[in-house]
Amino acid sequence: MEHATLLSKLADQAISSSAFPEAARVKSAICFLDFLSCALESAHLPWSQQVRDIAAKSSGRVPVVGEAIRASAEEAAFANAVRGHGLVREDMHTGSISHMGVAIWPVLISLAAENPTLAVSPLAAAISGYELGGRIGRVLITPEMARHFRPTGLIGPLAATLAGAALLRFDREKTINALAFAANAFGGLNEWPHSGADDMYFHPGFAARNAITALRLAGLGATGSASILDGQAGLFASFGIPLAPERLSLFPQGECEIMAVFNK
């Protein structure tokens, strides 16, 4: 009999949740429009120009927001995430101290452009992504951790990967594997305010690109550790965060974390 892990429990809850309140769907649409406006407004900034130049060297069908170019899913996701974060005025989830939208929406744009006949609404897929990121972030991110690690770089890969898995209608096994790979792709250090460098603008880009890669691997049958969250060397243990699994569940009493997101 399969041992149930925290990740498998969360994956089951995500897969079984699809009937979201209208208010959550409206909020999702607002977050998407907010992301697009942020990406367009920052298109002239140096980091936005740099990622555009990288994306332009790839080939694919995914648009880079604000540009007349098409790029690969990975490079477009990287560019769009950086552009969405360019002025740091995008949506914010205070419970996880993170900007999840700048990782979620670039991944969904890339996957939707690659798969135009998908039946799942990107707005619904995004709700699932915000939910996972918000619930894990509330437990994982502490003030001490946030002094050293960028919460968006930690939460973003998981949130974006679940959104992508929902859009692609991954089954349970692929969803778990993709999320396990995403948990291995955490990153983003907070040295930038001390050095004055540009690191922070690229953190969402790494999160989005890594989410695409995690989904690709799972789709090809690669397996990740189902115990990546609650295992002895898993996410919470590695950061030294006490974990009470009962504190972590998705959509409790029908509540949606996306409703806790605010738009600046």
Side-chain angles (χ1 to χ4, degrees), residues 144-167:
E144 178 62 25
M145 179 185 289
R147 278 192 284 271
H148 298 282
F149 296 96
R150 192 85 188 284
T152 300
L154 301 182
I155 299 304
L158 280 173
T161 297
L162 181 58
L167 189 70

Side-chain angles (χ1 to χ4, degrees), residues 8-44:
S8 65
K9 182 190 84 169
L10 296 176
D12 287 339
Q13 292 173 347
I15 292 170
S16 64
S17 301
S18 59
F20 302 121
E22 181 63 19
R25 292 179 179 272
V26 170
K27 181 66 174 180
S28 185
I30 291 171
C31 288
F32 178 53
L33 293 174
D34 182 69
F35 164 76
L36 290 177
S37 69
C38 291
L40 288 168
E41 190 176 1
S42 73
H44 67 286

Side-chain angles (χ1 to χ4, degrees), residues 114-193:
E114 280 195 329
N115 304 275
T117 60
L118 288 171
V120 176
S121 164
L123 298 181
I127 293 171
S128 294
Y130 279 100
E131 184 69 16
L132 181 68
R135 299 294 174 186
I136 289 181
R138 287 183 184 277
V139 179
L140 178 67
I141 305 298
T142 65
E144 178 62 25
M145 179 185 289
R147 278 192 284 271
H148 298 282
F149 296 96
R150 192 85 188 284
T152 300
L154 301 182
I155 299 304
L158 280 173
T161 297
L162 181 58
L167 189 70
L168 296 173
R169 299 185 72 174
F170 271 11
D171 61 21
R172 181 178 189 268
E173 182 179 4
K174 287 181 180 178
T175 299
I176 291 171
N177 288 330
L179 289 170
F181 291 128
N184 277 286
F186 277 23
L189 300 175
N190 274 334
E191 181 58 21
W192 55 273

Side-chain angles (χ1 to χ4, degrees), residues 239-261:
F239 281 105
I241 304 298
L243 176 62
E246 64 275 8
R247 290 182 58 196
L248 262 173
S249 63
L250 305 186
F251 305 109
Q253 289 79 53
E255 297 175 358
C256 298
E257 279 288 351
I258 196 171
M259 301 306 296
V261 171

